[in-house]
Amino acid sequence: MKLAGKVALVTGGSRGIGRAIALAFAAQGARVVICHPGDPEAEATQAAIGHWSDGLAIQADVSNEDAVERTFEMVERHFGTPEILVNNAGILRQVPLIETDAEDFDRVIAVNLRGPFLTCRAFARRAQAGRIINIASDLGFLGREQMAAYTASKGGVIAMTRTLARELAPGILVNAIAPGSVETDMTSPASMTPDQIARDLDTPLARFGQPEEIASMALYLASDDSSFVTGQCFGVNGGSAMY
């Protein structure tokens, strides 16, 4: 039980990669809180967490400062000070630059970059020690046409990870995971064209990753096994980006 008794908060934890991370942590003994923007699947995820450990689901917009503070206050009331934070919540817009509205750009940055800033700040104000794990993207390194807001936000997450690793050491270790294309709602045929799917599969391993494969790296970074690791960005990406 690598995380026995630990308190973990996973943003965007109701489905996809976040859900897999939440379940992996719970299976290793953590008390897991997920936050979500109103996802109907949150209740089922909370129930699944309950098979192993205590869980809680909180509806919150991570880009809203007051909502983030309320979330941390609820975590503290139920379980105590969180010791693990996973910034997984994220949204994506794929639009040519000249057609990108400033409001859409701002919203992606708000959720994907402002959100982790707010949660990391709230975590650091409370915790003397612990782990922060930021979910970035291989596109934060590679770039991708028609995805200016998303790639900018994920590049920002990677840069902020390195800064916070220096600032919060030695008590709080801060790392990032940069997944490649993972089989979630975002990569389903309903969300992507055949050409987009083919491009995402054009990697050395030639397949989508599974959420559980990202969760395995998150579990390593949350556990004592990674006690000498900080400021790193791990590419769990099938070889799409090698850095």
Side-chain angles (χ1 to χ4, degrees), residues 151-237:
T151 56
S153 71
K154 293 303 186 178
V157 165
I158 295 165
M160 186 169 66
T161 296
R162 293 168 177 158
T163 293
L164 297 186
R166 294 179 183 278
E167 182 172 342
L168 301 179
I172 298 174
L173 307 186
V174 188
N175 291 286
I177 303 172
S181 291
V182 175
E183 191 172 350
T184 66
D185 293 342
M186 283 187 177
T187 56
S188 70
S191 301
M192 298 176 67
T193 68
D195 286 345
Q196 290 169 336
I197 292 173
R199 181 168 184 176
D200 278 2
L201 293 176
D202 186 19
T203 67
L205 296 191
R207 67 172 177 86
F208 286 119
Q210 296 301 310
E212 292 76 16
E213 292 174 303
I214 312 304
S216 293
M217 177 59 75
L219 180 59
Y220 164 71
L221 293 173
S223 74
D224 290 340
D225 293 340
S226 63
S227 58
F228 197 54
V229 179
T230 196
Q232 307 304 309
C233 184
F234 293 86
V236 187
N237 59 31

Side-chain angles (χ1 to χ4, degrees), residues 11 17 21 86-92 111-113 116 132-142 147 150-162 175-182 186 214 217-218 221 232-237 240-241 243:
T11 72
I17 291 172
I21 292 172
V86 180
N87 283 306
N88 169 75
I91 60 174
L92 183 151
V111 174
N112 295 6
L113 185 56
I132 295 174
I133 303 164
N134 296 321
I135 305 301
S137 169
D138 61 346
L139 298 184
F141 291 98
L142 296 171
M147 297 178 69
Y150 183 79
T151 56
S153 71
K154 293 303 186 178
V157 165
I158 295 165
M160 186 169 66
T161 296
R162 293 168 177 158
N175 291 286
I177 303 172
S181 291
V182 175
M186 283 187 177
I214 312 304
M217 177 59 75
L221 293 173
Q232 307 304 309
C233 184
F234 293 86
V236 187
N237 59 31
S240 62
Y243 39 79

Side-chain angles (χ1 to χ4, degrees), residues 82-161:
E83 298 150 283
I84 302 165
L85 168 65
V86 180
N87 283 306
N88 169 75
I91 60 174
L92 183 151
R93 299 284 188 272
Q94 186 162 357
V95 184
L97 174 64
I98 60 175
E99 298 174 17
T100 301
D101 295 332
E103 293 81 3
D104 284 343
F105 182 91
D106 289 346
R107 182 58 184 162
V108 172
I109 296 296
V111 174
N112 295 6
L113 185 56
R114 174 183 164 91
F117 157 72
L118 290 173
T119 56
C120 286
R121 187 182 66 177
F123 183 89
R125 284 173 171 173
R126 292 165 168 83
Q128 299 301 310
R131 307 298 171 87
I132 295 174
I133 303 164
N134 296 321
I135 305 301
S137 169
D138 61 346
L139 298 184
F141 291 98
L142 296 171
R144 176 71 63 87
E145 61 273 17
Q146 301 187 2
M147 297 178 69
Y150 183 79
T151 56
S153 71
K154 293 303 186 178
V157 165
I158 295 165
M160 186 169 66
T161 296

